[in-house]
Amino acid sequence: MSKKTPMMEQYLRLKAAHPDAILFFHLGDFYEAFFEDAEVLARELDVVLTARNGNPMAGVPIRRGEAYVNELLKRGYKVAICQQMEDPRKATGLVRREVVRVVTPGTTLDDGVLDAGRNNYLCAVYRRGARFGLAALDLSTGEFTATAASDREALTGELTRLSPSELLLPPELKEEFAELEQGVITVLPAEQFDPKSVSDAEFGVPEEALCAAGAVLAYVAETQKGIVAHLQRLQMYSLSERMEIDPFTLRNLELVKPLREGEERGTLLHVLDKTATGMGRRYLRRAILAPLLDRAEIEARLAAVETLTQDELVQQALTEALARVHDLERLTGKLGAGRMGPLDLLLLERSLDQLPRVTEALSGVAGGASGLLIRIIEDLSFPRLAELREGLSGMLVDQPPADARDGGLIRPGFSEQLDRLHAEMRALRAQIAALEQKERARTGIPSLKVGYNRVFGYYIEVTKPHLSKVPPEYHRRQTLTNAERFVTEELREYEQRIAVAQERAVALELELFTQALERLKEGIPLLQRAAHALGKLDFLLSLAVVARRNRYTRPRFTDRHEIVIREGRHPVVELVEEFVPNDLALPEGTDLAIITGPNMSGKSVYLRQTALICLMAQVGSFVPAREATLPILDRIFARVGASDMLVSGISTFMMEMLETAAILNRATARSLIILDEMGRGTSTYDGLSIAWAVAKELAGSVRAKTLFATHYQELTRLADELPNVTNLHVAVKEVGKEVVFLHRVEPGVAAGSYGVHVARLAGLPDRVTEQAERILAEFLAGSPLYPKAGAPDASAQSLPLFGPDEHPVVKRLRKIDPNNLTPLEALELLFQLRKEL
Ligand code: ADP
């Protein structure tokens, strides 16, 4: 066994305390990683692998350390930063080193990793019996919340909404929750889920929520090594305070994330986002994912939006002022976590400078109109905020360094003492300059020069021809080709005095900076409150700007169980093409609408626009409709064609059934359900039977408001059976053999499904589409699925096409349900059939 050096022993001890992190070991100008850590750095980031005493080692320069840390974070690693705690030049023996911080995806404060438009949540889940506790902390802003969930579905719904970067779990939940893929999983020992560590929680918080919150606090204490002055008081919320949106719905409605990667413009978030700050963008995102249920709260937002829509000049003034506000929320987070540099402080000061402009512009419109806006003005105009701002004014230079230890950040005139030190340095430099004249006269060397370089400091330079005149008290320092450089006692003394003054100035600057931060820290709660108010204002303003630009109207809420929308539009689709607005009336007593119509006629769009209008209204946004009277919905469920959700190992149909089960288990009479083409993933009979049963259950017992788009014409007969079922169809116009899509939704049942027409549109040859039409006609006449009054019994009819000696291609054709084919599938099938022929 090789003998370990003391430094290696130090390394191994520190590494043992952080086994699941890459340890960055400060060694001179580098962070070094050893053993497996070094191999990770080499593999992931192409850092050159070297060796020290035969052990693998890889180093990154300290100056670029942050960039490497960020890259590792993005790849799901954690990094423990170990620093030298004393100056190696002054240390006796082994330099003291400590891990000052562990950087993890859920606790990073680095702008290089964080997305300005999203909260970065560190979540913890705890289970107690059948109930779950969930805590979420955004360390970058200090927002700290917890809730309890009575079942796993509610919990996963909430986790999907929060979409954490890191999830803390007790050992027993690891297996079960790892597959959720909600951020990097960190397993903590069970005892860290300690409810007692949450000292300032309100009374009556469920224990399971406290346990989760306790784990979050323990983890933050461990990774941040204690420096967090900005955590807000734990706020308890109940899942029943917000509209429930399950993960399927969240995805299907494309609220914040497009179904297909790269199509961000297709999301509701994108349409509504005209925010000017990160605070506003995060607020908007949170709001879209958690629509309100309290009518007064919704009306308060709507009233504020209405006020803000009324004056375009004010809108502009506010947008401009907000655009100059930096991310006050995250700057305050850096302040609280001891990570604020001079540059950050300058941004914070500039943000505070904008507050009077914001409140002034706002006071112009808010006069009594909106309680919400008045509270925002209040939160932005605390006198103490102005004091904090004044405390900073005139302190920093225009371009301060990122790191306060570099000095050169305090503006002249701010501190007399500092100015004196600078004056002293100037005087000393002047004396050095005067020395040149003095020495020239004394030595009689006219070309004698005083100069400075970084290596040797101040020197006197004498060119070769004059070297004979150099006095004996000159000490040689450096020889050049044409000259020699010297120092004198006097020069050395000046230099020393400058160095002392310089060191004192830098120390004083650091002290002044630190003092300013300390004073500011006392204002953290106020800064957070102001930041929150700015975010909310930015959010409301964004809704107002969009409402005006896209001609939205204020929705009305009713206690009646009805949805009435006049000239509703799809907020995304209307921006990219000529749009046909549509009405929807589901009055009391009408709960389910079966919607038929050809493929591509606009059924999906109609369904989604209805869900989006209802959701937007409860977010507090105006809606894309001429008029909308809406109930307050407790849940929205959106299920649209399962085809694009192939999950490995689960069949499309199974997936669809799982999603449907979730609806039947959770929907209430106050829910909205949109179901698009349910039952597609299985055979016609199966599909129809299930669709029928589900529709009947929804209309018959659940009585949720439901839009059910289907290609099963048979379903329309449900309206004869149940009084609260109605039929709608998307109208088309037939011009000869062509079909024109009108995208107009009308009462009643569609005449046909026009699948063959779509096949024609997709370019199938006429031979085939004509053939298909003939087959379809036969089906319609003979299939038990499509019994027509007076149609002869299929078995009794002789069908020449399907005689006993049919060609295999004909046999296959026989099995096809053209209604059940997408144009692509039809095309593919056509190629296959031709090949077979
Ligand atoms: P379906 O669900 O009936 O197959 P979609 O709802 O997907 O059809 O609509 C197909 C296309 O028709 C959409 O992509 C859109 O381009 C267009 N569309 C749908 N509804 C409208 C409308 N109301 N106004 C204008 N175009 C529409």
Side-chain angles (χ1 to χ4, degrees), residues 314-360:
V314 171
Q315 268 186 20
Q316 256 172 32
L318 280 174
T319 309
E320 275 164 30
L322 284 174
R324 286 167 205 240
V325 171
H326 300 271
D327 202 328
L328 186 60
E329 202 170 22
R330 284 195 168 151
L331 288 168
T332 306
K334 285 189 183 176
L335 173 68
R339 305 285 302 284
M340 174 166 263
L343 204 55
D344 298 316
L345 184 60
L346 188 72
L347 296 184
L348 185 133
E349 181 192 345
R350 291 201 180 142
S351 306
L352 291 179
D353 279 343
Q354 293 301 318
L355 297 190
R357 282 185 56 182
V358 174
T359 49
E360 196 178 313

Side-chain angles (χ1 to χ4, degrees), residues 573 577-580 582 598-605 743:
V573 179
E577 53 197 286
E578 200 66 39
F579 198 85
V580 181
N582 272 306
N599 285 325
M600 296 297 289
S601 62
K603 298 185 299 293
S604 300
V605 170
H743 303 305

Side-chain angles (χ1 to χ4, degrees), residues 18 21-25 78-82 99-103:
H18 300 91
I22 308 274
L23 185 72
F24 269 31
F25 188 76
K78 299 173 193 169
V79 184
I81 311 274
C82 159
V99 170
V100 291
R101 168 168 98 244
V102 184
V103 192

Side-chain angles (χ1 to χ4, degrees), residues 271-293:
V271 172
L272 295 184
D273 185 5
K274 295 282 177 277
T275 57
T277 69
M279 298 170 280
R281 206 158 307 135
R282 294 193 294 271
Y283 203 110
L284 175 63
R285 189 189 176 91
R286 286 194 304 267
I288 289 176
L289 292 175
L292 306 173
L293 297 181

